[in-house]
Amino acid sequence: KAGVTQTPRYLIKTRGQQVTLSCSPISGHRSVSWYQQTPGQGLQFLFEYFSETQRNKGNFPGRFSGRQFSNSRSEMNVSTLELGDSALYLCASSLGDRATAEAFFGQGTRLTVV
Amino acid sequence: SQQGEEDPQALSIQEGENATMNCSYKTSINNLQWYRQNSGRGLVHLILIRSNEREKHSGRLRVTLDTSKKSSSLLITASRAADTASYFCATGVLKAAGNKLTFGGGTRVLVKP
């Protein structure tokens, strides 16, 4: 069974640009969550999608958005990038049929904003 | 703010020794999960313990949960160099809709050969 796949693995962007990250969950998993990891703030929850609907949202500005497609694949978008958005962005998938089930993570996308 | 706080922040041990790390949290939880992360890569799920369980084993891992003290511990027995990683606890909050894990700051474990 294939794991969670995140693309791209590495990304360098300039301040002010926007970026789209992609996540393909494990087959059969309907819940996809996104997390941001930085040395200063640690791992922070961004949002969760289940059956194409945002079910949970963390405390991030509106520049951070996401969506989920009918095949459960998810994308997150960050607009008007700031230097502080440099981070490892992790996607996790789970069956999602009950609250906080076991989550499986991808390898992450390392975003560097210059 | 982080739900879980881990202790110690860093741990250095010799191969073959046991490593113990603790996690404390603030609110009632549905379950608590432990993850391992190698050098800024993805998180690997280690073990999930539900709020009605007190202890769980998986290979060389033993996890305990004390909901009255709002704390959990992860014990790695007979450690190996390959266990060198950061370990995170993550809590699933009771009554929260959907999947939202709140992570602790992690414990960096160095196993010296």
Side-chain angles (χ1 to χ4, degrees), chain B residues 10-36:
Chain B
L11 186 58
S12 180
I13 56 174
Q14 293 293 137
E15 206 164 25
E17 294 181 338
N18 295 343
T20 300
M21 58 210 86
N22 304 294
C23 169
S24 61
Y25 56 92
K26 297 171 185 171
T27 64
S28 295
I29 61 170
N30 208 19
N31 62 58
L32 187 143
Q33 304 181 43
W34 284 90
Y35 289 85
R36 184 185 74 228

Side-chain angles (χ1 to χ4, degrees), chain B residues 15-67:
Chain B
E15 206 164 25
E17 294 181 338
N18 295 343
T20 300
M21 58 210 86
N22 304 294
C23 169
S24 61
Y25 56 92
K26 297 171 185 171
T27 64
S28 295
I29 61 170
N30 208 19
N31 62 58
L32 187 143
Q33 304 181 43
W34 284 90
Y35 289 85
R36 184 185 74 228
Q37 185 178 41
N38 292 87
S39 298
R41 303 189 67 183
L43 296 165
V44 175
H45 186 273
L46 295 176
I47 200 163
L48 179 153
I49 186 166
R50 303 194 189 285
S51 58
N52 60 354
E53 297 175 311
R54 291 296 166 258
E55 187 170 313
K56 207 160 180 181
H57 296 254
S58 176
R60 293 183 296 112
L61 305 178
R62 182 174 79 100
V63 168
T64 62
L65 179 64
D66 187 335
T67 53

